[in-house]
Structure formats: structure tokens, C-alpha cells
Amino acid sequence: MKPLQTLLMKSLSVCSLPASASTLQQIALHQPKGVAKVVLKKGKTQIFKDGNPMVYSGAVDRIIGRPPPKTGDVVLVADGTEKPIGWGLYNSVSMFCVRLMQLEDEATSDSYCALNMEKLIETRIDAAVEVRRRLGLPSVHTNAYRLINSEGDRLSGLIIDVFGDVAVVASSAAWVEKYKSEIEACLGKINYIHHINWRPSVDILKEDGMNESDLKEMHSSTCPERTKIVENGIGYTISLKGQKTGFYADQRENRQFISTISDGLKVLDLCCYSGGFALNAVRGGALNVTGIDTSLLALELAKENVLLNSIDPGRISFLKEDATEFMKGALLRNESWDIVIIDPPKLAPTKKVLHSASGMYRNLNSLAMQLTKRGGLLMTCSCSGAVTQSGIFLRILQGAASMAGRKITVLRQSGAACDHPIDPSYPEGAYLTNILLRVS
């Protein structure tokens, strides 16, 4: 039997709640360990009420709770009057001290997940599965797609790509590591997923307070190193130890578009990785396709994919060379192509290097424009979020055209495939920009 004093204190706490107490306040009161409250500074509330999940430390006025919350703990986030606007997961080390998971009005309309990460993870993953099903994913023609796209699926810091029967989890937040078993349990309920491969973003997780040696111990995987997938009817062997999660599913719709404009043309695919654009160009009827990349592993996969799709090797070739050096050499040889595709790696990982990265993008695109036949097409890509969010990519391309002595016309702009949703309240989630240019 509980001591009378404890019961009286709890009773007094309940009675002290005003009639207008929020849903989250009422639920928090019944949590056995109590819930700390992160109170925001005056004027810093609206951006988070609008949905931005990343509560940065500079927006926080004070933290109410004894003992103080620890990394991974559920906390309330409140305005300056201490009225909750939502709840999320605390981090004592990161520059983002809370990742908001649910807003007050959502908890009021449906309290099932309120202050409960296990239920929230299950609900959000189930919702993502249903969205992809409505988009026709997976299907007979495509079984490689993104299941969870971080903020776009309301699970900030978590990315899950599905490749056939393999789910690849890319973790960039401490909470993902804490709830590893819950995430795996949700994926285990999806009947076509038989393997789970974890790919922690070690450098980002260290900023979140994770220890690198602990991560290595946590993620010893028995997953196969390679698997086969199909995308838009084209087969690929992918390496689960390769770049990012192993395959760039975000370019699926752009790759398919290339197949519709390549008939009878000569195509150059720069930074081709495992040959996605190149294979689509051949499938679309290109007369000759050349792929360039610096990664030997990627090129081995590309050549394997040519055989996998029974493509005439005389129509497609892959060379190991730096893209800039190849383009300079091709200009000296007076070579040119009807369609040039350039999809370089992320040159601007942060806004701090945006200026220098802009110069690199300008130089690469200037060379690519010079290799494009007059009247031909250049598809140029940037996967740097800092470039996409700053809106300067077109200005960079105009500068590149001036350097190359060419005139450009924008024919098409696109982003990531539809299974890569973006939360409009968190525009930092947008990273991919593809622009199709006519070069004259």
C-alpha cells in the first residue's frame, strides 16, 4: 500500500491542473517517471507549431524537470507560458536538443501515440507502408524504393530503403539507435522483408553523442553483401556495402525519363555509379552509351548489370576515370554527345562550403555543356541540400553557360521520386535537383 503522503501529493497534483489543461499535460501526469518540459523562448514557438521538428538549443529558454532529462528521453515542448505545443525526444549533446514527434493538436485528436515512442514508430511505419502501396510500390516492375524518408514521413533521423527482400536502415539520430529493436519489429511484420541491414551515419551520430565503437558492436550484420532488384523493368545487382544505402532510388523517375528521350542518340553518363541512367538510355534505344565513374566497385556492378539485362555490350561501355579529366580529354579529341548526364556526388554537404562548391558545380557543368552537341540536351543534377535550398543552382548553370560560350534553355526541373516525401514545414529535407537543359 502506497504511503498516504504520496497519494495526497498525487491527488493535489491532479487537483492543481486547470480545467483547460492540455491533452499532453494530462497524459504526462500519469507517466510513472514523470516528463520533463523544454520551454521555448518568447517568439521562438511558431516555427515548431507549424511543424518544423528540429528544436535547436538556441530556441530553448529553460528545462523544467528533476532529475534533468537524458538523451533519448521523451519530453514535452512548451511555449513561454509553459503550455505544451508537442512532445519529442531529448538530446543533451546535439545542437538540436529535441526532435519533435507529435504536436499537441494531433495528440488531442488521437491520443493513441501520445508520449509513447513504441506506438508512434509502429503507427508511422504502417502509414508509410500504406502510402507506398497507394503509389504502387513495390510492384512486379519495381521493388526498390524508399519506405521512410526522415522528416517527410514524420520520423526525423530515420531513412529506410527497401531493395527486394532487404530493408536498409540509415540512422542519423541517437533515438533511432535507442529504438532499434522496435524498428526491426515493425519491419519484421512486412511480409516481403526478410533481411535488415543497418547503415549508421557514424559522423552524424557522433554529433548526437553516440560512441563509434558502440555503433560497430550494435550493427554486426548477417545480411548478404549483394542483392538483385528491379526498377522500371530493368534488373540491377546492388552492393549493400556501397554508397549511401546501396542504390539511389531517388532518381528512379528521372532515369525512366532518360529512356524516353534517348532513341537513336549518343549518350554520355558522367558519375554513372552502377549504370542507372546509362542502362535506361540503352533500353530507350540509344545508339551508343558511355559511362564514367571513379569507383571500380561501381563500374563492376555496372558491367554486371549490362549482362543481367542481356544488353549488347557493343552499345554500352564504362570507363574508370575522373569526370573532369575525362571531359577535358574528350574536348581535346573534339568529341561530343547528343545527351550528357552529370550526377556528381554531394559537393556542398553544408552551407559553409556553398561558395567553393558553387565553383566546382560551375566548372563541371561548363565542361559538360561544351561536350553537348549544339541543340543537344544536358541533364544536370545536384544532391547537395545546401544548393537546392539556397535556390542558386540555375544561377550556377547560367554562369557555367557563360564560361562555355553556350546558351541554355530550361526544359524540365524535377526532384526526388514520389516515394521521397518532403515536409513543407521542414524545407531542409529537400536535397535533389535535376534540370534538363537545351544547349545551343
Side-chain angles (χ1 to χ4, degrees):
M1 187 172 179
K2 293 182 179 178
L4 179 60
Q5 187 178 5
T6 303
L7 291 171
L8 283 171
M9 288 300 292
K10 187 167 185 180
S11 176
L12 286 169
S13 298
V14 173
C15 294
S16 65
L17 275 177
S20 59
S22 74
T23 299
L24 289 176
Q25 281 177 314
Q26 294 177 41
I27 296 172
L29 184 68
H30 295 92
Q31 299 296 304
K33 294 182 180 179
V35 181
K37 187 180 289 185
V38 175
V39 182
L40 301 173
K41 293 177 180 176
K42 184 179 180 180
K44 299 291 186 181
T45 303
Q46 194 59 47
I47 185 175
F48 306 115
K49 289 180 76 172
D50 289 342
N52 189 314
M54 308 296 278
V55 180
Y56 54 95
S57 56
V60 175
D61 181 60
R62 61 193 183 277
I63 298 174
I64 301 172
R66 290 287 182 271
K70 296 179 292 187
T71 294
D73 283 355
V74 168
V75 294
L76 294 175
V77 176
D79 63 18
T81 68
E82 299 185 13
K83 180 181 178 181
I85 66 165
W87 67 273
L89 296 170
Y90 184 74
N91 192 303
S92 62
V93 177
S94 171
M95 65 180 290
F96 299 110
C97 63
V98 181
R99 289 181 191 252
L100 271 168
M101 290 294 168
Q102 189 182 40
L103 297 175
E104 169 68 33
D105 58 353
E106 294 174 304
T108 301
S109 61
D110 182 4
S111 62
Y112 174 74
C113 302
L115 304 181
N116 189 314
M117 265 313 284
E118 292 82 357
K119 289 180 179 178
L120 183 129
I121 290 169
E122 180 183 30
T123 300
R124 297 269 163 89
I125 290 179
D126 287 349
V129 170
E130 175 59 17
V131 168
R132 273 60 179 185
R133 185 193 66 78
R134 295 178 67 179
L135 292 173
L137 297 168
S139 70
V140 174
H141 303 290
T142 298
N143 65 0
Y145 65 97
R146 179 151 293 180
L147 174 60
I148 298 291
N149 194 45
S150 196
E151 293 82 13
D153 286 293
R154 307 289 307 283
L155 289 170
S156 176
L158 174 63
I159 284 175
I160 302 176
D161 282 343
V162 175
F163 302 129
D165 66 349
V166 178
V168 180
V169 180
S171 162
S172 60
W175 77 262
V176 177
E177 301 299 320
K178 178 176 180 177
Y179 289 95
K180 179 176 184 284
S181 60
E182 287 81 3
I183 293 167
E184 287 186 334
C186 291
L187 294 175
K189 293 192 303 181
I190 302 173
N191 59 16
Y192 50 83
I193 292 179
H194 301 141
H195 304 280
I196 300 172
N197 185 34
W198 284 75
R199 296 287 298 269
S201 301
V202 175
D203 290 340
I204 299 176
L205 286 168
K206 283 195 288 187
E207 293 177 7
D208 245 23
M210 298 294 295
N211 186 292
E212 185 172 354
S213 59
D214 291 342
L215 287 170
K216 289 179 180 177
E217 289 176 13
M218 289 170 67
H219 298 298
S220 54
S221 176
T222 57
C223 197
E225 288 197 9
R226 289 190 175 192
T227 191
K228 286 184 170 59
I229 61 166
V230 61
E231 180 192 82
N232 295 324
I234 297 176
Y236 297 84
T237 297
I238 67 170
S239 169
L240 298 174
K241 304 293 183 184
Q243 297 174 23
K244 298 293 181 70
T245 59
F247 189 73
Y248 295 97
D250 53 359
Q251 289 279 29
R252 179 178 60 253
E253 293 161 11
N254 296 314
R255 283 191 284 262
Q256 186 175 36
F257 175 76
I258 284 294
S259 73
T260 68
I261 62 172
S262 298
D263 190 28
L265 301 179
K266 184 181 175 187
V267 178
L268 174 64
D269 183 6
L270 296 160
C271 307
C272 66
Y273 193 49
S274 57
F277 281 111
L279 293 168
N280 275 272
V282 172
R283 179 62 62 89
L287 293 178
N288 178 270
V289 180
T290 302
I292 307 296
D293 204 280
T294 57
S295 168
L296 187 59
L297 171 63
L299 294 176
E300 287 174 353
L301 289 171
K303 292 172 183 177
E304 190 173 330
N305 291 333
V306 170
L307 299 175
L308 184 63
N309 291 280
S310 302
I311 292 171
D312 177 3
R315 293 174 59 200
I316 186 169
S317 59
F318 294 99
L319 302 174
K320 183 181 183 299
E321 194 168 348
D322 174 76
T324 298
E325 294 307 311
F326 173 84
M327 287 192 285
K328 288 178 178 178
L331 285 172
L332 291 174
R333 297 188 296 269
N334 292 316
E335 293 186 88
S336 62
W337 283 262
D338 300 295
I339 297 176
V340 176
I341 303 150
I342 182 163
D343 186 11
K346 186 185 293 185
L347 300 179
T350 66
K351 291 181 180 179
K352 290 180 180 179
V353 297
L354 190 56
H355 180 73
S356 60
S358 296
M360 289 188 280
Y361 277 116
R362 185 171 56 252
N363 293 337
L364 282 169
N365 280 282
S366 176
L367 290 169
M369 289 173 188
Q370 293 174 68
L371 290 180
T372 305
K373 291 181 181 178
R374 292 189 182 271
L377 301 177
L378 168 64
M379 177 178 275
T380 180
C381 315
S382 168
C383 63
S384 296
V387 171
T388 296
Q389 293 146 30
S390 66
I392 64 169
F393 197 35
L394 273 177
R395 205 181 323 145
I396 291 171
L397 296 176
Q398 288 168 345
S402 179
M403 282 178 62
R406 298 296 180 97
K407 178 80 171 76
I408 57 172
T409 307
V410 177
L411 301 180
R412 179 179 186 264
Q413 293 189 61
S414 59
C418 60
D419 52 326
H420 292 63
I422 297 167
D423 183 348
S425 64
Y426 187 71
E428 291 85 348
Y431 63 94
L432 182 66
T433 300
N434 279 37
I435 298 180
L436 182 70
L437 301 171
R438 183 178 183 271
V439 181
S440 56

